[in-house]
Amino acid sequence: MAPSEILFDSEKTVAPIGIIAMSSFAELGKKIDKYLVNWAGKGGLEKDTFLVESECPRFQSGDGKGLIKSTVRGMDLFIMVDVGNYNCKYEYFSHENSMSPDDHYQDLKRIIQAASGKAHRINVIMPILYGGRQHRRSYRESLDCACALQELEAMGVSNIVTFDAHDPRVQNAVPLMGFDNLMPSYQVLKAMLRDLKDLSFEKDKFMVVSPDEGALNRNMYYASVLGVEMGMFYKRRDYSTIVNGRNPIVAHEYLGNPVKDKDVFVSDDIISSGESMLDVAYELKKQKAKRIFTYATYAIFTNGLEKFDKAYDDGIIDGVFGTNLTYRTPELLERPWFHEVDCSKYIAYFIEAINHDVSISQILDPHAKIEALLKKYGMK
């Protein structure tokens, strides 16, 4: 069944849908709910909302609790949380604290506890995996993400849905639990063609470049579906020192075909400080690349936006694409170089597919949709 054919049919659902959008996910949760309500109406089920009201109040001492304000008995429950949303705040000994990933994860567990085992099935949609950036152990280090997944499985969670996991092999920690790692490739290309009217995917005008060896697979996919050439950078690090928990990058070395006079697309899972992405962009400009467009599923800019403002003003970077799967500051949304990729409909499709127990293979691999998109814009 193609995604476009998934419409609400109450006779084929596993159980009635219930959506709990944690405070960190409230904005995106409302968008997803609108799609589901619309599809329910087309399927003959009039529904005002699928959202189940909940909250996680805190005492001044820092203790908290989870509260679900209506019944979830017998529901196919989807709990959605953005563990990276630092804009959520709470009072702690008369000081205002920003919620950390640890706080969001604890609140998620509190809501699962509040469901008290009454839901038919519990599914967790967590775009940024908790602890996902620490993906392999060396020496005496914790593996938070693997432990968290096992903990959620023990609490009765049936499925985890995430986006662009830093290392999807973490699912090996829970081989008997459903784990789906979604890649919004179609949504990214759709946003690029929508916002960049003069963009061409012709082989002599466009090229894909991977910023490092870790991002090879996602960039290989873009290069393959677009039928263009691909290059890559590898990072030369100083393994004799450790700065902020990692070995500093000495230089980015380029491997691949010439980028001269071509538009270049660079994709990665996360822009944190953004230094690596900027280093790559400056190197590409030295090699006479025409325009440079970057994309990160999570554009969080931990060190602020000033360096990207300068790179844009200097003509180094022409656009940065990022999803709405995590919190974006109002300042970022106002930047002329930032383009948002909306993933709300994609998540709604996935919820419908899981709830109807239908194949999700075509949602995971949107090759046919990408081909139709390129055809719509007159590209092969």
Side-chain angles (χ1 to χ4, degrees):
M1 182 181 291
S4 59
E5 296 170 354
I6 300 175
L7 290 176
F8 202 100
D9 186 341
S10 57
E11 294 181 1
K12 296 180 180 178
T13 58
V14 170
I17 291 178
I19 296 177
I20 294 181
M22 308 285 284
S23 59
S24 59
F25 214 88
E27 177 191 353
L28 192 53
K30 290 176 182 177
K31 289 185 176 182
I32 294 167
D33 182 55
K34 283 184 180 179
Y35 283 112
L36 294 175
V37 168
N38 181 39
W39 295 338
K42 291 180 179 178
L45 178 66
E46 295 301 324
K47 190 89 173 173
D48 292 330
T49 184
F50 289 98
L51 291 170
V52 177
E53 192 175 353
S54 69
E55 66 172 324
C56 291
R58 285 179 180 266
F59 302 101
Q60 280 277 344
S61 62
D63 293 337
K65 64 179 179 180
L67 176 63
I68 299 176
K69 298 187 176 181
S70 61
T71 182
V72 294
R73 186 179 296 274
M75 285 186 175
D76 195 11
L77 194 61
F78 292 84
I79 306 175
M80 302 186 289
V81 58
D82 173 16
V83 299
N85 191 338
Y86 60 91
N87 192 49
C88 297
K89 297 179 173 64
Y90 63 92
E91 290 289 323
Y92 182 55
F93 285 93
S94 300
H95 295 283
E96 190 175 60
N97 254 19
S98 290
M99 288 183 69
S100 70
D102 294 336
D103 293 319
H104 287 298
Y105 177 60
Q106 286 301 120
D107 279 356
L108 169 64
K109 292 195 294 182
R110 291 180 176 116
I111 291 297
I112 294 173
Q113 292 176 59
S116 306
K118 302 299 191 295
H120 176 78
R121 182 173 64 179
I122 294 179
N123 313 276
V124 171
I125 297 177
M126 185 189 294
I128 298 182
L129 271 181
Y130 170 72
R133 294 188 71 188
Q134 209 289 325
H135 59 107
R136 62 173 174 263
R137 169 179 281 167
S138 59
Y139 303 108
R140 293 170 294 277
E141 292 182 346
S142 62
L143 283 173
D144 294 16
C145 187
C147 284
L149 292 176
Q150 291 178 350
E151 190 174 17
L152 292 176
E153 182 181 35
M155 294 182 76
V157 173
S158 299
N159 298 295
I160 295 279
V161 179
T162 189
F163 278 78
D164 205 346
H166 188 68
D167 190 341
R169 290 175 297 182
V170 73
Q171 66 186 287
N172 293 338
V174 284
L176 301 181
M177 183 174 71
F179 183 100
D180 292 297
N181 181 38
L182 309 186
M183 302 291 285
S185 309
Y186 168 76
Q187 287 72 22
V188 173
L189 294 175
K190 185 178 179 181
M192 290 180 68
L193 289 170
R194 177 197 66 208
D195 294 350
L196 308 173
K197 304 302 183 184
D198 60 342
L199 188 65
S200 172
F201 291 143
E202 294 297 325
K203 201 170 183 178
D204 60 340
K205 297 179 181 178
F206 190 85
M207 190 169 173
V208 174
V209 171
S210 176
D212 54 40
E213 60 275 18
L216 264 177
N217 285 340
R218 66 173 56 84
N219 285 282
M220 283 171 61
Y221 183 83
Y222 286 111
S224 297
V225 296
L226 297 176
V228 297
E229 294 175 339
M230 177 182 159
M232 70 161 285
F233 283 87
Y234 72 90
K235 297 174 180 175
R236 247 185 331 115
R237 294 181 180 271
D238 179 3
Y239 288 100
S240 64
T241 59
I242 296 177
V243 179
N244 295 328
R246 62 181 182 174
N247 302 110
I249 299 168
V250 176
H252 287 84
E253 305 288 353
Y254 178 71
L255 299 172
N257 295 321
V259 298
K260 185 178 179 182
D261 297 329
K262 291 182 180 180
D263 289 337
V264 177
F265 176 63
V266 184
S267 171
D268 210 346
D269 60 335
I270 187 169
I271 291 178
S272 184
S273 65
E275 290 176 2
S276 292
M277 193 67 85
L278 287 174
D279 286 346
V280 165
Y282 279 104
E283 286 296 323
L284 289 171
K285 274 297 180 182
K286 287 180 184 177
Q287 299 185 34
K288 309 298 183 184
K290 184 180 178 184
R291 294 185 297 179
I292 299 172
F293 301 103
T294 67
Y295 160 75
T297 306
Y298 306 108
I300 57 178
F301 297 99
T302 55
N303 288 4
L305 306 173
E306 290 75 16
K307 290 183 179 179
F308 278 81
D309 288 336
K310 185 177 187 306
Y312 177 72
D313 292 338
D314 293 345
I316 304 299
I317 283 183
D318 294 88
V320 177
F321 289 79
T323 69
N324 59 347
L325 292 169
T326 191
Y327 174 69
R328 294 94 54 231
T329 62
E331 292 78 19
L332 174 62
L333 296 175
E334 291 173 357
R335 290 302 196 266
W337 45 263
F338 182 72
H339 304 265
E340 187 166 278
V341 178
D342 184 13
C343 294
S344 58
K345 192 174 184 180
Y346 191 19
I347 297 176
Y349 271 141
F350 208 83
I351 290 174
E352 282 282 78
I354 292 177
N355 183 246
H356 283 73
D357 262 353
V358 299
S359 172
I360 59 171
S361 58
Q362 292 190 52
I363 302 177
L364 289 173
D365 182 10
H367 188 258
K369 290 190 71 175
I370 291 175
E371 283 195 342
L373 177 70
L374 297 178
K375 186 176 180 181
K376 175 184 174 183
Y377 283 88
M379 302 181 190
K380 292 184 181 180

